[in-house]
Amino acid sequence: MPLTCRGRVRGLEPSRGDVDDALGKFSLTLIDTLDTLALLNKTAEFEKAVRRVVTDVRLDNDIVVSVFETNIRVLGGLLGGHSMAVMLKESGRMLWYQDELLHMAKDLGLRLLPAFNTSSGLPYPRVNLRFGVRGPETRTGTETDTCTACAGTIILEFAALSRFTGDPTFEAHARRALDFLWEKRQRNSNLVGTTINIHSGEWVRRDSGVGAGIDSYYEYLLKAYILLGDDQFLQRFNTHYASIMKYISQPPLLLDVHIHKPLLPARTWMDSLLAFFPGLQVLKGDIRPAIETHEMLYQVTKKHNFLPEAFTTDFRVHWAQHPLRPEFAESTYFLYKATRDPYYLEVGRTILENLNRFARVPCGFAAMKDVRTGSHEDRMDSFFLAEMFKYLFLLFAEEEDLPFNVEDYIFTTEAHLLPLSLSTASNSQAQNNKTDIFKICQKELDDSNFEWTCPNTRLLFPDPAFPRNLREPIRSAVDKSYPGMGRPPLRAQDFMANNPEHLELLRRMGVSLIHLKDGRVQLVQHATQAVSAVAAEDGMRFMQEMMELSSQQQKEQLPPRAVQIISPPFFGRVVLTAGPAQFGMDLSKSSSGVRGFVTIAEPYNGCSVLSNGEIVAGRIALLQRGQCMFAEKARHIQKAGAIGGIVIDDNEGSSSDTAPLFQMAGDGRNTDDVTLPLLFLFHKEGNILLEALKEYREVEVLLSDKARDRGEMLSETEYEKMLIFEEGGTQEKDHTSPASSEPVHQSQVTIQEQTTDDSGVGPESVQPAEGLGSYVPVAVGEEPAVDGDHSSQSVDSLMADWEEDLEAFKQMEKDEL
């Protein structure tokens, strides 16, 4: 779990459904990565990992796991690790190793065997590692269906286990399952379905392709021939392959069909698991369609940085997830091995750079929740380390970088390394059927031999430009099918509500912009109003990005801030409740706040370079909300030399007592360059400040996290001026009243009463309470009474009103939630 920086333990984390069946409390990632460490020449780490597996991993857990996933990841990982340990021991290292991993592999194989106890020989999809499949304690054994790949991707691991241990039982069960699938193929089309009933052999899902549900069945037929030398596997593979190329392959596409009506498409989209198929075609020796399909996949990858989990025939996103699947990198490696075309090194570089740029996080690589938005999922599957690292390393490695000759091994579907020497091991049922492929290669190449050997690509493609000529039409076809991809679509973090080009892009995507009375902007999408299906999809992505951006900003709730007017005749008695910004200077970490005279920025919206920069320099700029992002306003006034900024709401009538606390978000980019404080005032509170500036011309304020006591805020001279002013009482009223005749709303200001002691703010001082605003109703410049019952009654009355407003505000928050 690379985002939360801990391992995923089944039962401790919320269930993710079937995907958790790969987890069996057997240190999945550790085992799946063993031979990766060996291949990357991390011998010390490999030895340490092997010791940890032998010492710490238990297999007799009372837990239900996927037979398929446990076979390819754990059994395959143990066998691959054993192969590497034996290789190292033969070279004089790891001399302590006594086949411990192999013993664990046999133990696991025996725990998987009960799943094969069916009339057909097809395994149950799940098994309890301790109790098998029968009985209530197993919590499994009631399933009736399994996928073709689930039953047909057993032979390599089970055959290797049999030949390593001399026990033919495992290979026999895997062969029986393959035989049954072969018998149940559709005899006219020679295709297999996706899901089959393990008891009756009836096809449950009759769609056929080379992606999810079937993929590794075809892979294991060919690789079983390579590893075991049994001609029967190659004959079956060639029969299936001819049908695939006849019905499913529509270069560069690979589209599912119905097994009984193979000329009828079963769907209009492709899943990302089929990306392994060009690599399999390389092993088969059919290079041309491998180049074409791989190029199509590469162009789709370049559009979205990663291959979406599924995409349509016109190359739009169908399922937006990407769990860091390695199949495309696998095919890239095999094509480079076959052609030595440096183009595929560039493809590999693209894969590598995108992983580092978009998926890398402090604790690993995070799966993409949506390739369109770049959002992450707290998931890094074990196959990422088991496969992706191997294939990328091998793609770029020189021969001297490799600790052994990989040509002596075959890769399982999980990229585990099994030695080809197993083909000569004893206790194999296939001994008498073996074909010496090396003798065949010495014969003259005719059509019959072409079916049995991998052709020399230099004979097939004498012109080095031939692969490039194959790729160009594919690239053009993808671009034409995905119009508008010449420039990237509008991203939520880039959106500017005052940018005419952005508004036009919204219109094309079917997104409407509605200005609400409270000053906020609402986005609504109607896909039917988009100019095209692609634009509608871009609109959906944009809306999803906006929601995620908004959700992220709401999580970062900050407490309110204070704007305190400290120049005469206010002397800090007027405190305006202000909303914070999620960027810029953090006033809560400043003991003194930021103090300065205010001035109105020109232009007032602050959305361009200020024309009165020389006046704004060294002052706190007043800005109007709207027309551009808050961070953009902050950058413009900061560039002009301002020491702070106050954004005033342009929505007339808005006030902190009728609206929740407003906080200003960034623009989706890095805002570390903004170092000044920026605060937000609703319209009524902002109007107090503007009227004061209009009346007195020079108005000084303090921006802080909370209102400060006047005794510690004012200098000695200022304090004396304040005392002189207060002695004048209401005689100064005409000079201190703002020009506006509109009464000040109750929640607009807080008046701090000066106390007679030196302890700071006294009991009659009203401060913002728990971030819910400021509530004492006194007109700006008007002197509150300080003596006698009148003062006491006034404050009591105000406090009662304040408490009433506070309750109303709390109720409003509950209603909003």
Side-chain angles (χ1 to χ4, degrees):
M1 298 170 65
L3 299 182
T4 50
C5 295
R6 64 176 186 266
R8 180 179 292 278
V9 180
R10 191 169 172 185
L12 297 184
E13 305 294 336
S15 173
R16 301 175 298 170
D18 291 349
V19 71
D20 280 342
D21 288 345
L23 307 177
K25 295 186 178 178
F26 37 38
S27 299
L28 174 65
T29 300
L30 178 63
I31 292 176
D32 214 1
T33 314
L34 287 176
D35 53 3
T36 301
L37 292 172
L39 178 65
L40 270 58
N41 218 0
K42 303 288 185 182
T43 307
E45 290 90 337
F46 171 74
E47 184 172 358
K48 180 181 177 182
V50 171
R51 289 186 184 275
R52 292 196 65 180
V53 170
V54 172
T55 304
D56 300 336
V57 174
R58 292 188 50 152
L59 299 172
D60 62 337
N61 303 314
D62 179 13
I63 195 165
V64 177
V65 297
S66 162
V67 173
F68 168 75
E69 296 289 357
T70 305
N71 173 67
I72 65 171
R73 298 203 207 187
V74 187
L75 182 57
L78 291 170
L79 293 171
H82 171 68
S83 300
M84 297 294 97
V86 169
M87 180 268 297
L88 289 172
K89 187 175 182 181
E90 291 174 350
S91 64
R93 288 168 288 182
M94 287 186 66
L95 298 178
W96 59 268
Y97 182 71
Q98 299 295 324
D99 296 346
E100 287 88 349
L101 294 180
L102 180 59
H103 298 322
M104 292 181 69
K106 184 172 183 179
D107 179 21
L108 181 60
L110 291 171
R111 295 179 185 279
L112 296 178
L113 277 183
F116 292 81
N117 189 18
T118 62
S119 57
S120 65
L122 298 179
Y124 283 98
R126 297 175 185 84
V127 66
N128 187 301
L129 288 176
R130 181 177 295 175
F131 298 112
V133 295
R134 297 294 173 88
E137 72 276 9
T138 67
R139 304 184 302 282
T140 187
T142 58
E143 302 95 335
T144 58
D145 306 335
T146 193
C147 71
T148 303
C150 298
T153 312
I154 306 289
I155 185 65
L156 291 188
E157 292 82 4
F158 269 40
L161 182 58
S162 283
R163 297 182 184 218
F164 272 132
T165 63
D167 184 348
T169 306
F170 305 103
E171 185 172 341
H173 278 87
R175 283 177 175 270
R176 184 183 174 209
L178 280 179
D179 290 344
F180 190 83
L181 289 174
W182 172 252
E183 288 300 318
K184 291 300 176 180
R185 75 191 186 283
Q186 213 290 324
R187 298 303 177 97
N188 292 322
S189 66
N190 280 319
L191 295 173
V192 291
T194 302
T195 308
I196 192 170
N197 185 295
I198 59 177
H199 304 297
S200 67
E202 292 293 320
W203 290 110
V204 179
R205 278 184 51 192
R206 301 183 179 187
D207 49 317
S208 183
V210 295
I214 304 179
D215 48 2
S216 49
Y217 163 68
Y218 294 133
E219 178 186 2
Y220 269 37
L221 284 177
L222 180 57
K223 289 184 175 180
Y225 165 68
I226 296 172
L227 178 65
L228 307 177
D230 188 338
D231 297 350
Q232 188 179 67
F233 291 128
L234 184 61
Q235 291 167 348
R236 292 178 181 179
F237 174 80
N238 282 334
T239 300
H240 283 313
Y241 186 77
S243 293
I244 291 169
M245 299 310 291
K246 181 177 181 180
Y247 300 118
I248 295 173
S249 177
Q250 301 178 31
L253 309 180
L254 292 163
L255 291 176
D256 285 18
V257 298
H258 294 279
I259 57 175
H260 293 92
K261 297 179 180 180
L263 297 177
L264 185 65
R267 61 173 69 142
T268 58
W269 49 270
M270 296 165 278
D271 66 75
S272 63
L273 285 170
L274 61 75
F276 90 101
F277 198 68
L280 189 65
Q281 289 178 307
V282 170
L283 284 183
K284 159 71 177 168
D286 201 359
I287 307 294
R288 176 172 182 150
I291 291 174
E292 293 173 328
T293 298
H294 179 274
E295 182 63 20
M296 177 269 294
L297 296 169
Y298 182 43
Q299 294 305 315
V300 174
T301 297
K302 289 205 295 186
K303 304 300 181 190
H304 305 289
N305 300 321
F306 299 98
L307 198 61
E309 193 73 330
F311 52 94
T312 62
T313 53
D314 56 353
F315 313 113
R316 290 182 291 114
V317 173
H318 184 69
W319 295 335
Q321 307 95 321
H322 174 75
L324 306 181
R325 294 201 185 277
E327 285 78 13
F328 180 64
E330 174 186 358
S331 288
T332 302
Y333 164 65
F334 279 111
L335 269 169
Y336 179 67
K337 287 283 286 185
T339 65
R340 291 295 172 182
D341 187 340
Y343 177 81
Y344 295 108
L345 295 178
E346 292 300 323
V347 175
R349 184 208 298 267
T350 300
I351 298 170
L352 196 62
E353 289 177 346
N354 287 344
L355 284 171
N356 279 322
R357 183 179 175 191
F358 300 110
R360 191 161 195 160
V361 294
C363 294
F365 292 80
M368 308 306 295
K369 186 177 181 180
D370 192 317
V371 298
R372 298 165 299 188
T373 64
S375 55
H376 289 130
E377 189 176 354
D378 196 9
R379 169 183 180 184
M380 185 178 80
D381 288 87
S382 65
F383 55 66
F384 179 71
L385 299 177
E387 299 183 67
M388 183 73 83
F389 274 29
K390 279 196 189 84
Y391 290 126
L392 288 178
F393 176 75
L394 287 169
L395 176 64
F396 296 108
E398 301 293 344
E399 190 172 335
E400 58 270 20
D401 298 326
L402 302 175
F404 55 88
N405 185 4
V406 293
E407 304 297 339
D408 294 336
Y409 297 82
I410 192 166
F411 291 107
T412 69
T413 194
E414 192 76 4
H416 292 306
L417 292 153
L418 299 178
L420 293 175
S421 58
L422 288 174
S423 63
T424 61
S426 58
N427 297 303
S428 169
Q429 297 181 353
Q431 284 292 307
N432 297 328
N433 294 326
K434 277 175 45 186
T435 300
D436 190 340
I437 193 169
F438 301 105
K439 291 182 180 179
I440 289 177
C441 287
Q442 294 171 1
K443 297 181 182 180
E444 182 181 353
L445 277 175
D446 56 25
D447 288 342
S448 61
N449 286 326
F450 190 84
E451 292 298 312
W452 301 89
T453 62
C454 295
N456 186 318
T457 54
R458 284 176 293 182
L459 295 177
L460 281 175
F461 306 135
D463 180 5
F466 186 79
R468 183 172 65 251
N469 295 337
L470 286 178
R471 291 190 293 261
E472 286 298 335
I474 308 298
R475 186 178 301 125
S476 300
V478 174
D479 287 339
K480 289 178 181 177
S481 297
Y482 210 142
M485 288 302 295
R487 64 177 182 181
L490 180 64
R491 307 299 296 267
Q493 61 264 33
D494 300 327
F495 173 64
M496 298 287 189
N498 66 323
N499 188 318
E501 183 181 354
H502 288 183
L503 295 176
E504 173 61 18
L505 288 173
L506 288 189
R507 186 194 67 77
R508 293 179 62 82
M509 295 189 295
V511 178
S512 303
L513 197 70
I514 302 172
H515 292 273
L516 303 178
K517 290 184 178 180
D518 63 1
R520 291 178 300 159
V521 173
Q522 186 176 45
L523 297 171
V524 181
Q525 192 204 20
H526 299 282
T528 55
Q529 296 178 9
V531 297
S532 68
V534 173
E537 182 185 327
D538 287 341
M540 290 178 63
R541 175 198 49 74
F542 178 82
M543 296 293 286
Q544 183 178 354
E545 283 184 359
M546 267 300 181
M547 287 187 286
E548 291 181 358
L549 194 62
S550 175
S551 175
Q552 179 184 359
Q553 291 164 357
Q554 289 174 9
K555 290 177 183 176
E556 301 171 0
Q557 290 293 335
L558 298 171
R561 306 298 187 216
V563 176
Q564 196 165 3
I565 307 179
I566 58 178
S567 56
F570 309 101
F571 297 110
R573 289 177 294 109
V574 177
V575 182
L576 308 175
T577 299
Q582 294 175 349
F583 55 89
M585 178 182 175
D586 186 354
L587 290 170
S588 66
K589 297 178 180 178
S590 171
S591 58
S592 57
V594 173
R595 178 173 174 170
F597 288 92
V598 297
T599 190
I600 296 175
E602 295 178 7
Y604 188 23
N605 59 31
C607 293
S608 59
V609 177
L610 302 191
S611 59
N612 63 337
E614 68 284 352
I615 299 174
V616 169
R619 291 177 169 246
I620 295 173
L622 300 184
L623 305 151
Q624 187 179 45
R625 179 185 183 183
Q627 304 301 311
C628 63
M629 305 294 277
F630 293 116
E632 186 177 354
K633 298 175 189 288
R635 290 187 178 101
H636 282 136
I637 63 171
Q638 180 173 286
K639 187 175 182 181
I643 60 173
I646 299 173
V647 178
I648 298 175
D649 195 5
D650 60 344
N651 179 36
E652 190 170 348
S654 66
S655 176
S656 64
D657 68 326
T658 58
L661 178 70
F662 183 88
Q663 57 182 348
M664 296 174 286
D667 55 4
R669 304 187 186 93
N670 189 322
T671 52
D672 291 345
D673 59 313
V674 179
T675 57
L676 53 69
L678 191 71
L679 298 183
F680 177 87
L681 292 178
F682 282 108
H683 184 268
K684 285 194 174 182
E685 285 87 345
N687 209 42
I688 292 172
L689 192 56
L690 291 173
E691 290 294 342
L693 184 63
K694 181 178 178 181
E695 178 77 11
Y696 300 104
R697 299 182 182 276
E698 288 291 331
V699 174
E700 189 177 17
V701 301
L702 174 69
L703 310 184
S704 59
D705 60 332
K706 60 182 179 181
R708 304 298 170 92
D709 175 41
R710 291 185 291 171
E712 60 187 42
M713 178 182 60
L714 301 177
S715 67
E716 186 174 339
T717 303
E718 289 170 332
Y719 195 80
E720 289 175 357
K721 286 182 180 179
M722 180 194 72
L723 293 177
I724 294 171
F725 179 83
E726 288 186 344
E727 286 174 3
T730 56
Q731 294 176 5
E732 304 289 337
K733 182 174 180 181
D734 291 341
H735 300 285
T736 59
S737 297
S740 173
S741 61
E742 181 183 353
V744 180
H745 196 276
Q746 180 171 334
S747 71
Q748 290 174 357
V749 295
T750 293
I751 297 296
Q752 292 197 353
E753 297 300 332
Q754 181 66 22
T755 57
T756 55
D757 60 50
D758 296 328
S759 61
V761 181
E764 293 183 350
S765 234
V766 182
Q767 302 254 16
E770 298 181 1
L772 295 178
S774 311
Y775 295 96
V776 180
V778 180
V780 175
E782 187 175 281
E783 283 301 306
V786 294
D787 329 86
D789 295 338
H790 176 76
S791 172
S792 176
Q793 182 181 4
S794 174
V795 172
D796 289 344
S797 173
L798 296 178
M799 289 298 293
D801 289 343
W802 175 78
E803 289 178 358
E804 183 180 337
D805 281 354
L806 181 61
E807 289 301 318
F809 188 89
K810 288 181 177 178
Q811 185 60 45
M812 181 175 68
E813 279 194 324
K814 288 181 181 178
D815 294 343
E816 188 172 300
L817 288 174

